[in-house]
Amino acid sequence: MVELIKPRRLSPGDTVAITAPASWADKDQVKAASSYLEELGLHVRLGETISMQHGYLAGTDEQRAAELNAMFADPMIKAIICARGGYGTGRMADLLDYELIRANPKIFWGYSDITFLHAAIGRLAGLVTFHGPMLIDLGKEDVHPLTIQNYETLLRPSVLHYTEEISPLQTLVEGEAFGALVGGNISLIVSTLGTPYELDTKGKLLFIEDIDEEPYRLDRMLNQLRLAGKFADAAGILICDFNNCMPNKRKVSLTLEQIFNDHIISAGKPTLAGFKIGHCSPNIAVPMGIGARMSTYDKLLACTEPGVEA
């Protein structure tokens, strides 16, 4: 693992680039959502992938990777925000220049399929990245104020302090733990296993979330993570939102609680559930790689420092 580095905070007038490293996005939605960033005093530059379609991808792997590399290399761009997720980031991970990324640290922001890039950039470039709401999330009619406020922290750095003032938290395994925050979407975390970008959970706080997965599929993925030692290696575990993860194909099903018990609680690590992180509203942004404390006694997750340099 390389030494951790943080990107610099944004200032009014800075340029923020929008890219689509996975599936393609609706350009009109992207433009509409960009207006909020402009209201913060930022200049928005749309990448060419916003207008590309290659099947379910926003351009070929080479096109998407080249755009992301170019955005990191461009000194005028101070932050890179993903328009949406979908599928495809793992396909281009081996086309990224991680030395270039490390030499040009800047804010990189997204979630869902972007989990693969968070894992890859964190492991090979050592850059703190942000698991946070996509740009198109800002354009939704029912977007939560806390989802929007996440972006303001990029101009006015703050330390993440998640308590039950945001959402109720449930203790599954009592205890306290300290470690760097890692994780994201379960499907993508599993897809890193056995690759050069495999998520390292040793001594870290692992957070997990997913959407539209049936319990038996989550069972399979959690079992794989358990067998790979990811829960046993972690210092603590944060169970986040599992939006619409209901039985459909197999009506007779184990509950999510039973599955968590079989694969996570059995690891015996301090475990809290109920975090509004992921495919949910609000969607609270998390600085990946930053040290944090979790406590089931105090019902909190508290980072030790901001995710950006002042």
Side-chain angles (χ1 to χ4, degrees):
M1 298 292 290
V2 294
E3 183 180 355
L4 189 72
I5 54 173
K6 296 197 295 186
R8 292 195 62 81
R9 59 171 288 184
L10 295 179
S11 298
D14 282 345
T15 296
V16 175
I18 312 300
T19 188
S23 295
W24 51 272
D26 183 287
K27 190 173 183 178
D28 291 336
Q29 286 184 336
V30 172
K31 286 184 176 180
S34 297
S35 63
Y36 175 73
L37 299 179
E38 293 169 345
E39 290 174 5
L40 292 177
L42 301 169
H43 295 299
V44 177
R45 184 190 302 178
L46 300 184
E48 293 182 1
T49 55
I50 301 301
S51 302
M52 292 181 177
Q53 291 187 23
H54 178 64
Y56 39 72
L57 304 170
T60 66
D61 299 335
E62 290 76 16
Q63 288 171 325
R64 289 177 288 114
E67 177 168 280
L68 191 53
N69 282 330
M71 286 178 172
F72 270 104
D74 189 336
M76 296 301 295
I77 294 174
K78 305 302 181 183
I80 303 168
I81 296 175
C82 298
R84 64 157 298 176
Y87 171 76
T89 59
R91 291 175 53 116
M92 68 174 208
D94 58 345
L95 300 176
L96 296 180
D97 187 336
Y98 296 98
E99 291 185 3
L100 168 72
I101 293 173
R102 182 169 178 80
N104 298 274
K106 57 190 65 177
I107 293 164
F108 179 71
W109 182 289
Y111 75 108
S112 194
D113 198 71
I114 313 305
T115 295
F116 201 107
L117 294 185
H118 287 310
I121 292 172
R123 188 174 187 105
L124 299 185
L127 176 65
V128 172
T129 58
F130 293 84
H131 183 282
M134 303 293 191
L135 184 67
I136 60 171
D137 291 338
L138 298 182
K140 297 177 180 178
E141 292 184 0
D142 59 347
V143 61
H144 196 285
L146 288 179
T147 299
I148 296 175
Q149 289 174 22
N150 284 303
Y151 283 88
E152 297 178 4
T153 65
L154 299 180
L155 290 97
R156 292 176 287 278
S158 62
V159 178
L160 175 65
H161 193 83
Y162 196 119
T163 69
E164 290 193 297
E165 291 184 5
I166 299 175
S167 65
L169 299 175
Q170 300 82 45
T171 298
L172 301 187
V173 180
E174 287 191 349
E176 289 190 341
F178 300 83
L181 284 165
V182 297
N185 185 269
I186 289 180
S187 303
L188 276 298
I189 294 173
V190 168
S191 72
T192 70
L193 299 181
T195 75
Y197 320 105
E198 181 169 335
L199 187 69
D200 179 14
T201 66
K202 291 180 180 178
K204 298 184 170 71
L205 300 183
L206 171 64
F207 70 94
I208 55 174
E209 66 88 29
D210 220 313
I211 184 173
D212 293 337
E213 292 287 359
E214 293 199 43
Y216 81 94
R217 296 187 183 210
L218 290 174
D219 191 340
R220 180 181 63 219
M221 291 186 283
L222 290 170
N223 183 57
Q224 188 169 357
L225 292 175
R226 179 181 64 84
L227 293 175
K230 298 305 176 181
F231 300 129
D233 284 347
I237 300 167
L238 312 172
I239 298 177
C240 303
D241 200 82
F242 282 79
N243 193 350
N244 197 37
C245 291
M246 304 292 291
N248 184 23
K249 181 178 179 180
R250 289 175 168 81
K251 297 295 186 182
V252 179
S253 173
L254 294 174
T255 66
L256 293 184
E257 290 74 17
Q258 287 174 310
I259 296 169
F260 293 150
N261 183 73
D262 290 342
H263 301 302
I264 297 177
I265 296 176
S266 59
K269 300 303 175 74
T271 303
L272 267 177
F275 292 94
K276 287 293 185 179
I277 298 170
H279 295 80
C280 53
S281 180
N283 179 2
I284 304 301
V286 175
M288 311 277 276
I290 291 295
R293 166 183 171 250
M294 66 166 286
S295 171
T296 66
Y297 309 117
D298 298 329
K299 296 288 186 68
L300 68 76
L301 169 67
C303 286
T304 58
E305 59 184 315
V308 294
E309 296 285 1

